[in-house]
Amino acid sequence: MNFIVSTVLIALVTALACSLPGVFLVLRRLSLVAEGISHAVLPGLVAAFALSAALGGAGILPPALAPVLVILAPALIGLLLVFGVETLNRTGLLTSDASLGILFPALFSIGVILVSRRYAGVPLSEGSILMGDITFAALQQLRVGDLLLGPRALYRMGTILLLNVLFVLFFYKELKITTFDPLLAISLGISPAKIHYAFTALVAITIVGAFETVGAILVVALLTAPAAAAYLVSKTLPRMIFFSCLIAAAGALGGLWLAWLLDSTTSGTMAMVMGLIFLGTLATAPRRGLIGRWRLVRRQRLRFAEQVLVAHLIHHAQGERAAPACSEGGICLHLQWSRPFADRVVARALLQGTVRLDQGKLLPTERGRTFHRSFSYHDSPRSPGGEALP
């Protein structure tokens, strides 16, 4: 298989495999737990490498089962971390973030010490732990006899991607209910704890599988950034899953292209591109983006100001005194508005047809009176019976 094609496929499959569980990590607010698992699995990974080398050298462990051991042993350490955190939480002595902050640095430091001592010839280094290397992973070929079948990382992450897809398909209802309403899940006979531990095991397997390609630190970006960006532009869970996979694929391909252009590390550039996509989405998302929310607040402010203007004009009209137009300074003086803001409010009211201009004076229209009655009724205090109070 061509080296470039291999690199692209590994990056794409790794990003997709991480984006699926990342959706539920973000919705369950477990992104920090994923960060802890990505660090805590390191001693299990070192032990699995050493154990597989020892058992393989003694002829006890078949070579085909060595990759399975290398994935399952660290995943078990990740489960133990989550179990330890929840056990500490149940004592009520520590908060969840404190429990996680205590346990995962301790486990990670043990793994770093073992790697730094080159324990049992483990083929790991500090750099590969933190950042990984997709290009190096593309060179590690799967060999069956004299036949080369392609990069081992591609088969490993492809299997994990398939596992994630099957898990989401078969347990979609359980994941959805336990994510949004655990009490409803209990009433339906679904155990949130069992789903939580099964999902945590899936996340740990995904993190361990992505160790060689993106490392312990950058795998968290692949898990959370696409899902967080998808959350900002989605209204339903299926759409969020779709957009998360789409953003992950775009970030992987864009990161590879930019890494080639800048001659930089591929995994780091992929994570950076996904972070930039998230920042762009955060700024421009229609409903939850910063610009969209600013525009919404601005519209609401102008609408409220229009309500105040119409009420002011009606009050003056009832006293047979038409309020002078803002250009003459009357509205600015009475309502204590700045001239630019008053001009915007008057322009909006004229456009909406709630006021009219008659010989330099602003007057309320029938539509404006109806508009005033509607917001006056809704905003007025209510009696216990529900009728509007005077």
Side-chain angles (χ1 to χ4, degrees):
M1 186 180 296
N2 184 275
F3 174 75
I4 296 178
V5 174
S6 300
T7 305
V8 170
L9 289 178
I10 292 173
L12 193 59
V13 171
T14 302
L16 292 176
C18 292
S19 65
L20 276 176
V23 169
F24 295 97
L25 279 174
V26 170
L27 292 176
R28 290 169 175 254
R29 300 181 181 180
L30 295 177
S31 300
L32 187 59
V33 174
E35 172 78 13
I37 293 175
S38 69
H39 290 71
V41 298
L42 181 58
L45 189 65
V46 177
F49 270 116
L51 187 61
S52 63
L55 295 179
I60 301 175
L61 182 69
L65 295 180
V68 178
L69 177 63
V70 169
I71 290 179
L72 292 183
L76 179 61
I77 299 295
L79 277 176
L80 291 177
L81 169 73
V82 175
F83 180 77
V85 168
E86 295 188 355
T87 301
L88 287 176
N89 292 342
R90 282 194 293 269
T91 64
L93 301 176
L94 295 173
T95 59
S96 58
D97 55 344
S99 303
L100 194 61
I102 291 170
L103 290 178
F104 92 72
L107 291 172
F108 185 69
S109 61
I110 293 172
V112 170
I113 291 172
L114 294 176
V115 172
S116 65
R117 292 180 60 85
R118 301 295 186 267
Y119 179 70
V122 172
L124 290 173
S125 65
E126 291 83 350
S128 64
I129 292 168
L130 297 177
M131 296 182 297
D133 192 346
I134 292 180
T135 55
F136 177 76
L139 297 175
Q140 306 299 308
Q141 299 289 312
L142 177 63
R143 181 186 297 272
V144 178
D146 295 331
L147 183 63
L148 295 178
L149 300 180
R152 290 181 301 182
L154 179 60
Y155 287 95
R156 180 176 62 252
M157 294 310 302
T159 303
I160 293 175
L161 173 60
L162 179 62
L163 178 63
N164 290 348
V165 171
L166 293 177
F167 184 87
V168 171
L169 287 178
F170 284 114
F171 296 100
Y172 178 78
K173 180 185 71 175
E174 290 80 0
L175 284 169
K176 184 176 180 180
I177 295 176
T178 55
T179 297
F180 295 107
D181 198 339
L183 294 179
L184 176 61
I186 294 174
S187 67
L188 295 176
I190 301 172
S191 173
K194 292 181 180 178
I195 296 297
H196 175 67
Y197 283 116
F199 175 70
T200 302
L202 188 74
V203 171
I205 290 173
T206 304
I207 289 173
V208 174
F211 238 95
E212 185 180 358
T213 55
V214 293
I217 303 298
L218 300 180
V219 69
V220 181
L222 272 64
L223 284 166
T224 57
Y231 174 78
L232 296 175
V233 296
S234 305
K235 295 182 179 180
T236 62
L237 181 57
R239 291 188 63 181
M240 183 176 174
I241 294 174
F242 170 75
F243 281 118
S244 177
C245 294
L246 185 64
I247 292 170
L253 297 178
L256 281 179
W257 175 79
L258 191 60
W260 174 80
L261 194 65
L262 300 177
D263 193 21
S264 61
T265 172
T266 52
S267 53
T269 311
M270 282 171 51
M272 183 192 70
V273 170
M274 290 184 185
L276 292 175
I277 292 175
F278 168 75
L279 292 177
T281 307
L282 178 64
T284 61
R287 294 187 303 119
R288 297 190 178 101
L290 297 178
I291 295 176
R293 290 173 68 88
W294 174 79
R295 293 179 62 183
L296 176 62
V297 171
R298 184 173 180 270
R299 286 196 301 268
Q300 290 176 340
R301 183 186 178 198
L302 287 176
R303 186 175 185 275
F304 179 75
E306 182 186 1
Q307 294 173 353
V308 174
L309 174 64
V310 172
H312 177 74
L313 295 178
I314 291 175
H315 171 72
H316 276 265
Q318 290 173 348
E320 297 182 354
R321 294 181 293 109
C326 183
S327 58
E328 299 175 5
I331 298 298
C332 298
L333 178 64
H334 291 166
L335 298 180
Q336 297 183 353
W337 287 345
S338 65
R339 181 62 59 85
F341 180 72
D343 288 341
R344 290 200 302 269
V345 176
V346 171
R348 173 188 168 90
L350 290 172
L351 184 63
Q352 297 292 331
T354 53
V355 302
R356 62 185 176 88
L357 194 61
D358 184 13
Q359 296 181 356
K361 296 180 181 296
L362 287 172
L363 297 174
T365 63
E366 281 302 317
R367 183 173 182 178
R369 294 178 185 274
T370 303
F371 176 61
H372 172 67
R373 285 193 297 270
S374 66
F375 78 77
S376 296
Y377 176 76
H378 288 299
D379 294 344
S380 61
R382 301 274 172 170
S383 70
E387 63 271 18
L389 297 177

